[in-house]
Amino acid sequence: MIDFLKEFWEFLKVRKKFWLLPPILILLLLGMLIVLTQGSAVAPFIYTLF
């Protein structure tokens, strides 16, 4: 996983695609939010956002 992150960072630097970083981070955070709240009482409120 760390090798993938290093390679991805090099890709961003070489190709000057730094604009890809915020959307990817937001997607990762939303995915983690869904996974972490799956079994909790907050889950119905999270799913109404989508």
Side-chain angles (χ1 to χ4, degrees):
M1 183 66 175
I2 293 175
D3 291 334
F4 171 75
L5 292 175
K6 286 181 184 176
E7 188 173 334
F8 183 67
W9 179 250
E10 288 298 319
F11 168 78
L12 292 177
K13 284 192 334 188
V14 169
R15 305 259 195 238
K16 306 284 194 253
K17 303 272 186 193
F18 292 111
W19 60 271
L20 284 173
L21 205 54
I24 290 173
L25 288 177
I26 289 172
L27 286 173
L28 287 174
L29 288 174
L30 285 175
M32 286 175 28
L33 180 68
I34 290 172
V35 168
L36 292 176
T37 60
Q38 187 174 2
S40 71
V42 183
F45 301 110
I46 298 298
Y47 290 121
T48 59
L49 295 175
F50 302 104

